Amino acid sequence: MNDSGCIHLSNFKAAKGANPYKIVHAFFVSCTSYEARRYKATSCLCFACGQTGPRMHSCLHCIYFACYGGHVLDHSKTKKHFLYVDLSYGNIYCAQCQDYIYDREFTDISRTLRMKEAKSLGISVPFTPWLPNANEAMALRRMRKRRLISPHTTIGLRGLQNLGSTCFMNCIVQTLIHTPLLRDYFLGEKHKCKTQGSGKCLVCEVSKLFQEFYSGAKTPLTLHRLLHLIWTHARHLAGYEQQDAHEFFIATLDVLHRHCMNGVEDTEKKENGRCNCIIDQIFTGGLQSDVVCTSCSGVSTTIDPFWDISLDVAGPGSLQACLERFTRAEHLGSAAKIKCSNCRAYRESTKQLTLETLPIVASFHLKRFEHSSQIDRKISTFVSFPAELDMTPFMSTHRRAVDAADNNNAPQGIFEDNRYSLFAVVNHLGSLDAGHYTAYVRQMKGSWFKCDDHMITRASLREVLDSEGYLLFYHKTVLEYECDVS
Amino acid sequence: MNNSINIMSELSMNDLNSKFFEIMQNETNAEDAANFIFESVCEDVTLGVLFEFHHGLKTGLTELIEGEKEEEEGYKIVNSPECDVFGFSLLKKTPDSNCSCPNCERPVSATRFAPHLEKCMGMGRNSSRIASRRIASNSREPTSYAGLLSDDEDDADWSGGSLQSDRRKRRMKNNHNKRSSKIHKGHRNNNGNHNSDSNEGATYETMSANEKKNLLLQICGVVSEHTKKLCTRSTRCPQHTEEQRRALRNSVLEPSTPESQTMGLADEAGSPLDSSPSSSCSSSSRKRDRHRAAPKMKNKRDRNMSPNGRD
């Protein structure tokens, strides 16, 4: 990789250093202050034609703005000034090379100033493409072979040894490993851990697991360290006897969430009081609960975070029907009066749950296990679930609009896209007493596999959709950029 | 529009502001301005993509990142109904391996790791009982593990040795107790409580359909040609083949009901019942607890909605 500019730029830097570039960038490219923005707004016009473009450049040798429509060239001919800063991105144009050239020192300056700009405007840092540092570039040069994920290879697949009725763990691990955003996070080595190497961090352990899954090895993995870590940090699982995959999933997320904090400085921990660890970024949504007083129609609203949604299975139906029931207003009855802050009295009320914010991964738990004082039973009723799911009807905003019977003014904007696609299904086979868990996972679009402990076999989407379904995992189809303008 | 911008560079910010509002009063101007902004943003974004692309080519970064495609031959998915994607036979059991217990650092058979860890961490239902017995035996014989081993002899992993040596110990113990049963289920109850559902000398003729079914969920069950006894090893015992097991189930559980078929399937799918003969599935109640899929669901919805330990 060669990003050391050109001979002309090197000569310029030797004579004048990087300061002229810094100044031009800070004032007219990144505009790191209010002052700078004012300068840019009032003075960035081509000195030759007075136009705002096309593509404004600033001379690096003298104070001169020129558009790319010929006037950069004119200036370089008359003045013999050959280096120009493009005012949109801060790249250098060399009129002698007749091309844009890239210098690592200037690129780094540009990135620093962009961060300053974001801070000054109170916005998040804009996207910049990844650049390898010297070590990374060396590694890329030395190891030229690139491992690609394709639907025809086993890369990314791995069987998991059953450690003695640990299929509940294996199916959850398969699900997590095949969660697209988690994969990107871990294969991008984003987890920076303070306790590195201590063997006590579950996030580090999962990070290692990802390396194992993508190593190309074929023998089943033994997750004994993972099990030990989770049991150590989630004592309430009470060990071996309690082997509900759903409970294990929630406990695993909780331990991961707590361990994510290992590598984070205290100051970064919370953004607007919200945890921004990778687990919360992916799995946390907001559940809105509206309690409406039947006397005064006063509404009391609370919003709670959730990691998954547990749905009652009442007769054959569909996931959508379950969600519809889940978000329906429910009369709490005369036995459960709630104090209305408006009436200052205990009143009958209705309660409605809706989804205020959606997580990137929506996890549904079908309550197939019924435990009451009289009877423990498994409900094997067929509940259909779609490969593609639109969550819009279950959103708080949508429900409000429907209730107001005012569909024309539905607040859901054109930018809102709440489509999800299925990427993992955990199934419970057998009875309550003797059962077994397996998981279907999507390795890539249209490529499904059945994970039964150490055995991984190909599966069809039809097979997945026809399975009973205990835990269903959906991934958001379109990811929005964060735009938290404060 | 362009004319007005021309003037701007000579104006103060105050003048600029008032001028701006004045110009924007005119709807055509406002529309022009909106178009101008839109086009500028479009151009800027396009330029960004081009610069990224140009940067990659010019500096050689694209070439560096792309490298050379690795040979896929060794990783091809095996497409065969008898194998999984890696080419491992679906019928063959995976070879067991040892792993080091992170808690006690002893080598433990991987397939028995979870029950070991439960006891090792003192988490199980019986852990307090085991722990107190261990303490008691340790105080009697502080320097020896002998008491500990005989106390817990169902707990294969405590020996730290291979399964075989463990089995040998067991067999010795068994002989010593003059127990004729080959059924390992009885082993746990060495303290005199005779196992109520023990199947000593049992043949399939004397069992009810339900008993047969339950038994065959746990053991291999193939009848030996020589001794005419049932094989009491696990449902994946290496002595007998899947075919033998399937044939036996078909003959014993006939007429072939859908139930027997599902049972056969569950076995192939690797039922969670311990696959090692030293399994501690002793009483039906214990087994029931262990394989309970989903414990107490009361108030589950409320609890689930607020992830544990978070405010």
Side-chain angles (χ1 to χ4, degrees):
Chain A
M1 182 183 181
N2 173 26
D3 54 0
S4 51
C6 68
I7 179 75
H8 314 106
L9 181 63
S10 301
N11 290 343
F12 175 85
K13 274 165 68 177
K16 301 193 176 165
N19 237 7
Y21 178 73
K22 264 188 208 163
I23 293 166
V24 172
H25 201 293
F27 275 91
F28 303 110
V29 180
S30 48
C31 307
T32 52
S33 64
Y34 172 77
E35 277 288 281
R37 287 191 283 277
R38 214 185 81 175
Y39 277 121
K40 177 159 183 166
T42 53
S43 59
C44 271
L45 301 165
C46 177
F47 279 22
C49 64
Q51 303 290 318
T52 54
R55 287 161 62 194
M56 291 302 299
H57 286 69
S58 164
C59 181
L60 203 52
H61 304 259
C62 69
I63 299 175
Y64 192 87
F65 295 125
C67 67
Y68 198 76
H71 298 130
V72 165
L73 209 62
D74 287 351
H75 183 72
S76 76
K77 274 181 185 156
T78 52
K79 294 280 182 183
K80 300 275 181 267
H81 292 168
F82 295 115
L83 296 168
Y84 298 86
V85 184
D86 132 69
L87 294 187
S88 297
Y89 290 88
N91 291 320
I92 302 283
Y93 180 78
C94 173
Q96 271 172 305
C97 297
Q98 299 189 356
D99 200 358
Y100 288 93
I101 49 147
Y102 301 93
D103 177 87
R104 189 53 182 258
E105 188 191 355
F106 280 16
T107 309
D108 290 341
I109 291 170
S110 177
R111 293 206 167 180
T112 316
L113 291 172
R114 283 289 183 194
M115 282 200 275
K116 225 171 147 186
E117 173 196 19
K119 210 170 165 194
S120 153
L121 289 169
I123 58 172
S124 50
V125 182
F127 167 79
T128 46
W130 177 75
L131 277 181
N133 62 30
N135 284 339
E136 290 163 338
M138 173 118 74
L140 284 172
R141 236 191 327 272
R142 281 213 185 131
M143 292 170 271
R144 304 239 347 123
K145 297 283 184 203
R146 300 289 173 261
R147 178 160 296 169
L148 301 181
I149 304 166
S150 101
H152 309 294
T153 68
T154 56
I155 303 291
L157 299 171
R158 199 83 189 260
L160 300 173
Q161 176 78 260
N162 191 315
L163 307 180
S165 302
T166 54
C167 45
F168 65 96
M169 165 172 75
N170 290 351
C171 65
I172 294 302
V173 167
Q174 292 286 7
T175 300
L176 292 176
I177 296 280
H178 290 89
T179 302
L181 266 193
L182 266 189
R183 182 191 65 197
D184 295 351
Y185 177 84
F186 281 105
L187 291 185
E189 302 197 315
K190 292 290 184 194
H191 174 61
K192 304 271 182 283
C193 193
K194 273 183 185 165
T195 70
Q196 208 142 45
S198 70
K200 286 178 182 154
C201 174
L202 184 64
V203 194
C204 289
E205 191 58 36
V206 172
S207 194
K208 278 186 221 153
L209 265 186
F210 270 96
Q211 293 298 325
E212 285 285 358
F213 268 75
Y214 285 88
S215 71
K218 296 175 179 186
T219 49
L221 284 170
T222 306
L223 302 181
H224 59 293
R225 281 193 307 273
L226 187 100
L227 185 69
H228 175 246
L229 274 174
I230 293 173
W231 279 357
T232 306
H233 295 284
R235 283 260 165 186
H236 67 276
L237 283 188
Y240 186 50
E241 284 158 22
Q242 197 146 355
Q243 41 174 300
D244 177 28
H246 172 250
E247 192 128 40
F248 186 82
F249 171 64
I250 295 300
T252 305
L253 286 192
D254 182 52
V255 177
L256 281 172
H257 156 79
R258 284 188 273 138
H259 286 194
C260 273
M261 292 299 131
N262 288 342
V264 179
E265 299 297 330
D266 289 337
T267 47
E268 301 171 37
K269 273 190 183 168
K270 290 211 167 171
E271 243 173 43
N272 344 313
R274 219 181 76 213
C275 172
N276 63 341
C277 79
I278 188 66
I279 296 302
D280 277 297
Q281 280 186 45
I282 296 177
F283 293 96
T284 302
L287 183 76
Q288 179 168 328
S289 160
D290 293 308
V291 175
V292 183
C293 169
T294 45
S295 306
C296 71
S297 300
V299 185
S300 140
T301 299
T302 53
I303 293 166
D304 291 310
F306 70 91
W307 275 341
D308 73 321
I309 296 172
S310 290
L311 298 165
D312 286 310
V313 179
S318 65
L319 175 66
Q320 291 95 324
C322 290
L323 279 165
E324 162 68 32
R325 253 198 318 275
F326 181 78
T327 53
R328 196 179 291 164
E330 176 190 6
H331 194 78
L332 293 178
S334 52
K337 286 183 178 172
I338 287 175
K339 187 161 188 179
C340 171
S341 56
N342 229 6
C343 309
R344 291 162 195 267
Y346 285 88
R347 301 285 195 201
E348 284 187 27
S349 45
T350 61
K351 183 179 172 181
Q352 183 170 28
L353 298 173
T354 46
L355 303 173
E356 200 257 345
T357 43
L358 294 170
I360 291 173
V361 167
S363 321
F364 302 108
H365 163 222
L366 299 179
K367 292 203 255 181
R368 292 193 174 277
F369 299 102
E370 198 174 64
H371 297 272
S372 66
S373 47
Q374 288 91 35
I375 192 166
D376 288 355
R377 64 184 184 123
K378 179 180 173 189
I379 308 164
S380 295
T381 313
F382 183 71
V383 175
S384 70
F385 47 91
E388 309 290 331
L389 174 70
D390 189 354
M391 292 289 283
T392 309
F394 318 110
M395 301 281 295
S396 310
T397 46
H398 182 82
R399 276 297 154 108
R400 263 202 299 279
V402 170
D403 290 349
D406 191 7
N407 283 315
N408 294 331
N409 287 335
Q412 88 232 45
I414 47 166
F415 301 115
E416 213 169 273
D417 187 328
N418 300 316
R419 286 173 303 159
Y420 283 73
S421 57
L422 188 69
F423 74 94
V425 175
V426 169
N427 279 301
H428 179 268
L429 317 172
S431 65
L432 203 79
D433 296 342
H436 182 54
Y437 286 109
T438 60
Y440 287 108
V441 294
R442 190 184 65 181
Q443 168 66 356
M444 53 202 307
K445 204 169 163 54
S447 189
W448 285 86
F449 294 92
K450 182 183 183 181
C451 306
D452 182 351
D453 288 337
H454 59 277
M455 264 171 334
I456 313 290
T457 46
R458 251 194 208 289
S460 66
L461 178 62
R462 190 70 260 155
E463 193 183 332
V464 177
L465 296 181
D466 285 344
S467 69
E468 194 175 78
Y470 176 48
L471 304 176
L472 311 171
F473 298 90
Y474 285 85
H475 204 282
K476 201 157 188 306
T477 315
V478 180
L479 298 180
E480 273 113 38
Y481 285 100
E482 278 216 351
C483 51
D484 42 3
V485 182
S486 48
Chain B
M1 184 81 202
N2 284 333
N3 287 340
S4 47
I5 288 172
N6 268 338
I7 310 161
M8 277 201 278
S9 55
E10 282 99 46
L11 299 173
S12 73
M13 281 308 270
N14 249 349
D15 295 337
L16 204 62
N17 272 343
S18 52
K19 196 88 191 163
F20 176 79
F21 284 115
E22 194 182 302
I23 293 169
M24 287 304 133
Q25 291 300 309
N26 184 322
E27 247 179 58
T28 341
N29 285 345
E31 180 141 356
D32 283 350
N35 285 334
F36 174 77
I37 289 168
F38 177 76
E39 274 162 30
S40 304
V41 170
C42 265
E43 255 172 45
D44 245 32
V45 170
T46 316
L47 189 62
V49 175
L50 290 176
F51 269 134
E52 192 182 334
F53 192 64
H54 184 259
H55 172 267
L57 290 180
K58 180 106 182 168
T59 60
L61 181 61
T62 309
E63 209 271 323
L64 195 63
I65 290 175
E66 280 179 0
E68 293 158 23
K69 194 180 165 195
E70 186 185 48
E71 189 52 60
E72 280 187 355
E73 219 31 67
Y75 308 120
K76 278 264 189 305
I77 284 181
V78 178
N79 284 311
S80 157
E82 282 115 50
C83 298
D84 74 354
V85 292
F86 304 106
F88 298 133
S89 163
L90 291 181
L91 301 176
K92 238 171 67 192
K93 207 189 140 194
T94 50
D96 195 4
S97 55
N98 267 13
C99 57
S100 166
C101 172
N103 205 46
C104 66
E105 293 176 0
R106 277 178 232 217
V108 179
S109 149
T111 50
R112 299 263 307 139
F113 176 73
H116 160 84
L117 185 65
E118 178 190 31
K119 294 194 185 82
C120 193
M121 291 177 73
M123 293 169 85
R125 224 159 46 94
N126 297 321
S127 60
S128 60
R129 176 182 60 84
I130 292 165
S132 55
R133 274 207 281 156
R134 192 164 291 143
I135 290 162
S137 67
N138 273 349
S139 60
R140 260 183 273 124
E141 268 179 299
T143 53
S144 158
Y145 279 105
L148 198 145
L149 272 175
S150 63
D151 245 8
D152 257 15
E153 101 290 34
D154 64 289
D155 199 354
D157 31 68
W158 278 103
S159 67
S162 72
L163 265 171
Q164 262 155 350
S165 71
D166 185 60
R167 257 178 230 159
R168 198 162 49 236
K169 268 179 219 146
R170 236 166 248 240
R171 213 169 292 132
M172 282 159 60
K173 173 111 186 154
N174 221 19
N175 292 339
H176 180 68
N177 285 354
K178 302 248 176 337
R179 298 274 297 261
S180 58
S181 165
K182 276 190 81 181
I183 296 201
H184 290 269
K185 293 178 106 198
H187 287 187
R188 243 181 110 79
N189 298 295
N190 61 327
N191 50 4
N193 295 339
H194 203 276
N195 199 343
S196 58
D197 61 352
S198 156
N199 288 294
E200 272 168 83
T203 59
Y204 289 115
E205 280 82 358
T206 59
M207 279 183 242
S208 75
N210 235 1
E211 279 171 348
K212 283 189 242 176
K213 218 171 82 180
N214 280 335
L215 186 67
L216 288 176
L217 270 174
Q218 295 161 46
I219 63 164
C220 166
V222 172
V223 182
S224 159
E225 281 176 356
H226 310 291
T227 61
K228 306 285 176 228
K229 280 184 182 158
L230 325 185
C231 169
T232 56
R233 292 188 192 82
S234 82
T235 52
R236 290 177 184 169
C237 96
Q239 202 94 355
H240 302 101
T241 64
E242 280 299 319
E243 284 77 60
Q244 285 177 296
R245 273 191 280 279
R246 203 170 300 145
L248 177 107
R249 277 159 177 72
N250 282 343
S251 71
V252 168
L253 299 171
E254 67 184 358
S256 177
T257 56
E259 274 171 350
S260 66
Q261 271 164 16
T262 19
M263 197 178 71
L265 276 178
D267 281 346
E268 274 167 56
S271 91
L273 293 162
D274 292 301
S275 48
S276 143
S278 46
S279 159
S280 51
C281 295
S282 62
S283 71
S284 57
S285 78
R286 167 139 177 100
K287 191 195 96 204
R288 215 177 91 98
D289 275 20
R290 284 174 147 219
H291 298 285
R292 164 159 304 178
K296 19 172 187 12
M297 289 288 180
K298 281 173 217 157
N299 304 326
K300 193 121 197 192
R301 174 155 130 182
D302 293 348
R303 193 153 51 95
N304 285 331
M305 291 342 285
S306 46
N308 305 336
R310 289 142 44 82
D311 304 317

